[in-house]
Amino acid sequence: MQLKSSIAILKGVGKTRMQQYEKLKISSVKDLLCHFPVGYINCSEAKTLKELKEKEKAAVEVKILNKKAMKTRNNKYIFKILAQDKEGEIVEIIYFNNAYIYAALKIGGFYKLYGEFSDNFHSKKVLSPLILNEFGFIAKYGLTKGLTKNVLVSNLKQAFKLIEDHEDVLPKSLRVKYNLLNFKAAIFKIHFPKTAQDYYSARKRLVFEELLIWQIGILKFRKQDEKKKCFALKDVNLKEFLKGLPFSLTSAQSRVIEECIKDCSKNTPMNRLVQGDVGSGKTVVAVALSFLFAKAKKEVVLMAPTEILARQHYKTFCSFLNGFGIRVGLLVGGLKKREKSELLEKLKTGEINVIVGTHALFYDDVVFNNLSLIITDEQHRFGVKQREKLKNKAYAAHVLVMSATPIPRTLALIFYGDLNISTIDELPPNRVPVKTFWVTSKKRDSVLKFVLGEISKGHQAYFVCPAIEEGENFKANVLNYAETLKENGFKKERIGILHGRMEACLKNEVMLKFLNREIDVLVSTTVIEVGVDVSNATVMVIENAEMFGLSQLHQLRGRVARSCFKAYCFLVSDFLTKENKQRMGVMCSTTDGFEISKKDLVLRGPGDIFKEQQHGKFNFKIANLKRDFNCAKICRKEAEEILRKDYELKDEENLKIKENVEKFINNSLTVL
Ligand code: ADP
Ligand code: MG
């Protein structure tokens, strides 16, 4: 009860404080207790002055010998205090203007100091050291204007007293099984650890709680879906559709389409992830299913993460489906009012069968006649609320997610709950793999010459920079880069730029020009990463390649692997670290996305990979999926076990879990 209360119940927390805390997203007592330190100063071990190296930061215990205050010319004070440690070594302690501490330090008294010690003739010297109550770790916190650490700590100490034993979220059985501290002890030790072990054991327990709630949340969320009944496909016939295709399906594509059809022929909602390397032909899977649903007079929505991609899919869907009398619509942000209201009207009456769009699809004014299939491209992640919004437009719909970054099954299960996975593990025939080279910037000139050569053959080129404009970090940026190209031989070549801060309509215009070959060179940030298909582009140069993850680099170069022309990718990177050499080596030696994703996993761990794929928006307070992946696996197992025994979380020992899971689902869970 107490933990859920507002922090207003704490002494000294009034309106102003509450506002300050609000900035740190703290409103309840529990929020405050879970405002974990961002780091610690290690004062756990007392050293002697003699053993300190020059400029070493350390904690020592000293006895004050004498002290004096000196006034400077501009009326400020310097306080000089002489002290010695137990070996008789002398240290000069200096404070500027801190009369309070000066007065507090008594001659003959013993004090514990923490600071940076430097050599000073025959003694040591330390400026403005911290005075410690006891040796241990000192927590550092994220603070906000007006809220000092002292205030925070004093509020924390008060809040700590309100923790009652029975309020523990983790059942005792789990705490015993995994040797975990109770909540109260963990909270104390995370804020006020005396030893490194205190911190580790506190962290272990708090991470466990967070990941367990997450996993139960994911599992429960999925199960809610499964309970609903939805439309089931009947009398499936794709013959006509397949005859109209300009190519024949690979056997992997056929298999995956079959798998989806099987799911959709049941009246429980499909929940399937289709993964396949860039260029493996995922789109046609979505088109084939859309065909079947449209023929059954049900509507389909396809969500794309960017307007560029939505427009591209719209074109593809039209070209494959219009011939069968299936009507496809496009809903993006920039539509004119009349266009939009016409479109919405047609959706409502079922006149449009397939609607392709971006986030604009979430709005309340979008109403469907009989929405039955939701497809999202490129692992677009929704928050629970967003997804619910879309799903509420249908009573229950089948869900298909397409992703170009393959992940191992065990990982997928942890991140998405019980999700079925189909894999397109085969590329359409006659694909020429992208030749990839790692160069340092010294070789850039010859790379540019090579690019000019490709353009003179009538091809197009991408340049990818990590930044948009000049910043402090000396990374290549789109704006300068486009300028420098002109000075470096790109005189008559038509150069376009593309980045995330441009208006959507401007982005489309540039992309369209590139597609229609009115632009030869596109200098861009990673906004081109997802799905964009310009088959005449044959070369890509990626600057500061060390900045990108392997899977991301693979996605990027996938943009030039879309045709039967020979394609090239140059990774420019001056980083000669062992890790970077290894990474660049992987990129140059394989074009197999699965292989690369596996290497990425080994080199960087799962956490980073998900972050990069924008799976990282988990808002964990303390867990770190890279570091705590093993714990996530354990929590998954325990979550299943808990739900198996008590699905509704009605048992006494699960009540706290239930409460927290509900909060988590509503506030922070993101799902596919
Ligand atoms: P991705 O899996 O990256 O989304 P796409 O669906 O965009 O790939 O397909 C890439 C290109 O390959 C498209 O131009 C598409 O028309 C073509 N394609 C897809 N399947 C086949 C196939 N079976 N045979 C030949 N070309 C194909
Ligand atoms: Mg695609």
Side-chain angles (χ1 to χ4, degrees):
M1 177 60 220
Q2 297 267 41
L3 294 190
K4 267 195 289 180
S5 319
S6 157
I7 45 171
I9 65 166
L10 300 176
K11 259 183 266 149
V13 176
K15 211 169 150 201
T16 322
R17 281 272 177 268
M18 303 244 320
Q19 280 165 358
Q20 291 163 349
Y21 274 121
E22 207 177 293
K23 287 202 186 111
L24 299 172
K25 298 203 167 66
I26 295 171
S27 59
S28 71
V29 172
K30 178 151 186 187
D31 293 341
L32 176 65
L33 290 166
C34 293
H35 185 61
F36 299 124
V38 292
Y40 300 88
I41 303 170
N42 182 353
C43 312
S44 60
E45 219 187 317
K47 293 209 165 176
T48 62
L49 288 165
K50 215 177 202 162
E51 54 184 338
L52 297 182
K53 294 183 210 76
E54 170 69 2
K55 295 218 179 284
E56 181 171 344
K57 287 183 178 155
V60 298
E61 187 164 32
V62 295
K63 180 179 165 190
I64 307 276
L65 300 176
N66 65 54
K67 56 179 192 176
K68 62 178 180 226
M70 297 184 308
K71 211 171 196 170
T72 64
R73 256 172 283 154
N74 48 6
N75 266 343
K76 300 217 159 125
Y77 281 97
I78 300 179
F79 301 107
K80 288 194 174 181
I81 298 150
L82 225 51
Q84 81 185 123
D85 69 2
K86 63 174 192 258
E87 292 179 347
E89 202 75 11
I90 301 290
V91 59
E92 186 180 38
I93 305 163
I94 296 167
Y95 287 102
F96 299 100
N97 267 326
N98 197 334
Y100 174 76
I101 284 203
Y102 179 73
L105 295 173
K106 302 278 185 263
I107 292 174
F110 288 86
Y111 297 92
K112 301 177 180 76
L113 312 176
Y114 175 85
E116 184 182 293
F117 291 81
S118 50
D119 295 328
N120 183 26
F121 302 108
H122 299 297
S123 69
K124 297 270 180 192
K125 187 167 89 176
V126 59
L127 295 184
S128 313
L130 293 172
I131 309 291
L132 311 173
N133 287 328
E134 55 192 327
F135 294 115
F137 287 77
I138 301 178
K140 293 189 277 192
Y141 291 97
L143 296 167
T144 181
K145 201 171 166 225
L147 185 76
T148 64
K149 189 185 152 185
N150 281 344
V151 171
L152 180 83
V153 169
S154 114
N155 292 154
L156 261 174
K157 283 185 172 157
Q158 222 194 110
F160 176 75
K161 292 198 189 113
L162 301 176
I163 305 176
E164 291 167 42
D165 289 342
H166 65 86
E167 292 202 279
D168 214 312
V169 174
L170 289 184
K172 185 146 187 235
S173 54
L174 275 182
R175 296 203 313 260
V176 171
K177 180 167 176 189
Y178 293 102
N179 194 14
L180 301 169
L181 296 176
N182 68 34
F183 182 68
K184 192 165 185 173
I187 286 294
F188 189 80
K189 288 184 174 177
I190 201 82
H191 290 292
F192 312 107
K194 288 207 182 64
T195 63
Q197 189 52 45
D198 278 355
Y199 163 74
Y200 289 128
S201 53
R203 185 177 185 282
K204 178 179 161 194
R205 137 79 210 216
L206 295 163
V207 166
F208 195 100
E209 175 175 329
E210 193 164 40
L211 293 180
L212 183 74
I213 296 297
W214 175 50
Q215 283 299 304
I216 294 178
I218 282 187
L219 290 174
K220 270 200 90 92
F221 187 75
R222 285 272 175 251
K223 286 281 188 308
Q224 278 172 15
D225 278 7
E226 286 169 17
K227 277 191 276 186
K228 292 183 181 163
K229 292 266 174 291
C230 67
F231 167 74
L233 279 178
K234 280 186 282 290
D235 309 324
V236 172
N237 187 346
L238 270 179
K239 270 203 193 105
E240 200 190 353
F241 173 76
L242 295 177
K243 248 198 293 179
L245 282 182
F247 46 74
S248 43
L249 297 179
T250 62
S251 57
Q253 283 169 321
S254 304
R255 175 177 39 84
V256 171
I257 291 174
E258 277 311 312
E259 285 165 356
C260 295
I261 290 175
K262 213 169 149 194
D263 287 356
C264 295
S265 305
K266 296 179 194 148
N267 60 6
T268 47
M270 165 170 78
N271 220 333
R272 188 168 282 277
L273 171 69
V274 167
Q275 46 182 33
D277 208 345
V278 252
S280 62
K282 293 181 289 292
T283 315
V284 72
V285 174
V287 181
L289 285 180
S290 304
F291 172 85
L292 294 173
F293 277 82
K295 282 281 158 195
K297 306 239 170 329
K298 304 289 174 203
E299 282 98 64
V300 179
V301 30
L302 172 70
M303 283 276 312
T306 64
E307 192 170 326
I308 296 173
L309 206 58
R311 284 179 187 275
Q312 190 177 297
H313 278 319
Y314 172 68
K315 243 175 79 184
T316 311
F317 273 63
C318 284
S319 73
F320 284 148
L321 295 177
N322 284 351
F324 300 106
I326 295 171
R327 281 168 308 257
V328 184
L330 175 70
L331 183 60
V332 289
L335 287 188
K336 290 200 192 72
K337 222 173 167 181
R338 242 200 57 214
E339 269 178 306
K340 190 174 168 190
S341 59
E342 269 176 30
L343 187 72
L344 292 181
E345 192 50 39
K346 284 183 185 163
L347 262 182
K348 208 155 96 197
T349 55
E351 241 179 288
I352 285 181
N353 312 97
V354 180
I355 182 94
V356 180
T358 55
H359 275 85
L361 288 164
F362 289 134
Y363 293 125
D364 289 334
D365 53 358
V366 182
V367 180
F368 293 90
N369 186 41
N370 217 330
L371 176 61
S372 299
L373 173 64
I374 298 173
I375 307 172
T376 69
D377 191 23
E378 304 296 350
Q379 75 244 332
H380 192 70
R381 281 184 75 91
F382 304 120
V384 165
K385 280 183 188 150
Q386 280 180 318
R387 174 171 151 140
E388 288 302 279
K389 255 191 155 158
L390 196 54
K391 292 186 79 178
N392 285 341
K393 296 175 190 296
Y395 170 65
H398 297 287
V399 175
L400 177 69
V401 178
M402 302 191 288
S403 162
T405 329
I407 47 170
R409 194 178 166 76
T410 44
L411 255 178
L413 290 184
I414 285 186
F415 283 91
Y416 309 126
D418 285 324
L419 180 91
N420 294 312
I421 301 175
S422 293
T423 306
I424 307 183
D425 48 8
E426 178 185 3
L427 291 181
N430 304 325
R431 283 283 157 78
V432 188
V434 184
K435 273 205 143 119
T436 305
F437 304 92
W438 171 28
V439 297
T440 60
S441 52
K442 279 194 201 118
K443 288 263 179 66
R444 191 182 286 115
D445 282 348
S446 40
V447 170
L448 294 187
K449 272 205 196 92
F450 183 90
V451 174
L452 284 169
E454 283 296 297
I455 295 173
S456 70
K457 288 184 212 157
H459 293 309
Q460 289 158 284
Y462 291 101
F463 287 88
V464 180
C465 303
I468 297 176
E469 60 187 2
E470 197 164 338
E472 294 152 12
N473 55 11
F474 299 103
K475 300 294 175 222
N477 69 83
V478 170
L479 299 181
N480 285 1
Y481 205 88
E483 288 306 309
T484 12
L485 280 182
K486 286 178 200 153
E487 294 156 17
N488 281 286
F490 288 68
K491 299 242 155 45
K492 54 182 198 314
E493 285 69 23
R494 295 158 302 178
I495 301 174
I497 60 171
L498 191 68
H499 58 75
R501 287 220 303 266
M502 283 161 60
E503 298 254 359
C505 59
L506 217 59
K507 276 195 257 182
N508 292 323
E509 201 180 302
V510 173
M511 215 47 228
L512 220 60
K513 278 188 177 164
F514 193 58
L515 199 65
N516 297 333
R517 303 195 194 179
E518 290 161 35
I519 288 175
D520 304 300
V521 175
L522 191 61
V523 182
S524 160
T525 54
T526 53
V527 285
I528 50 144
E529 186 180 340
V530 275
V532 178
D533 199 355
V534 179
S535 57
N536 187 50
T538 55
V539 55
M540 172 176 284
V541 179
I542 303 177
E543 293 284 346
N544 292 109
E546 73 279 354
M547 297 277 294
F548 304 101
L550 293 187
S551 298
Q552 198 180 11
L553 288 172
H554 182 63
Q555 287 279 307
L556 284 167
R557 77 175 162 187
R559 300 308 115 224
V560 291
R562 312 227 128 211
S563 64
C564 50
F565 302 119
K566 270 200 174 140
Y568 307 89
C569 175
F570 295 92
L571 306 171
V572 185
S573 175
D574 292 339
F575 266 49
L576 299 177
T577 58
K578 188 173 153 223
E579 200 211 329
N580 197 48
K581 280 182 184 164
Q582 237 178 331
R583 286 158 33 85
M584 295 300 129
V586 171
M587 291 310 296
C588 298
S589 63
T590 177
T591 51
D592 179 338
F594 279 76
E595 196 60 38
I596 286 171
S597 141
K598 268 190 233 153
K599 288 269 163 55
D600 217 7
L601 213 60
V602 175
L603 285 171
R604 298 186 309 150
D608 276 5
I609 292 172
F610 277 87
K611 201 155 167 188
E612 175 178 292
Q613 290 175 29
Q614 299 179 334
H615 289 254
K617 297 173 188 152
F618 290 115
N619 298 326
F620 289 129
K621 282 204 164 82
I622 190 162
N624 164 340
L625 288 176
K626 184 169 176 176
R627 199 169 149 180
D628 303 316
F629 191 64
N630 266 331
C631 183
K633 282 199 252 181
I634 292 172
C635 288
R636 168 51 168 255
K637 219 179 71 200
E638 292 299 341
E640 280 170 5
E641 191 59 19
I642 289 171
L643 291 177
R644 192 179 61 75
K645 287 194 200 137
D646 176 22
Y647 184 74
E648 298 301 329
L649 301 174
K650 280 193 301 236
D651 293 355
E652 182 70 31
E653 68 164 10
N654 293 335
L655 289 180
K656 285 281 160 199
I657 291 185
K658 183 182 165 98
E659 203 177 273
N660 281 273
V661 165
E662 276 161 10
K663 192 170 157 206
F664 183 78
I665 289 184
N666 284 324
N667 294 334
S668 21
L669 186 63
T670 46
V671 290
L672 282 171

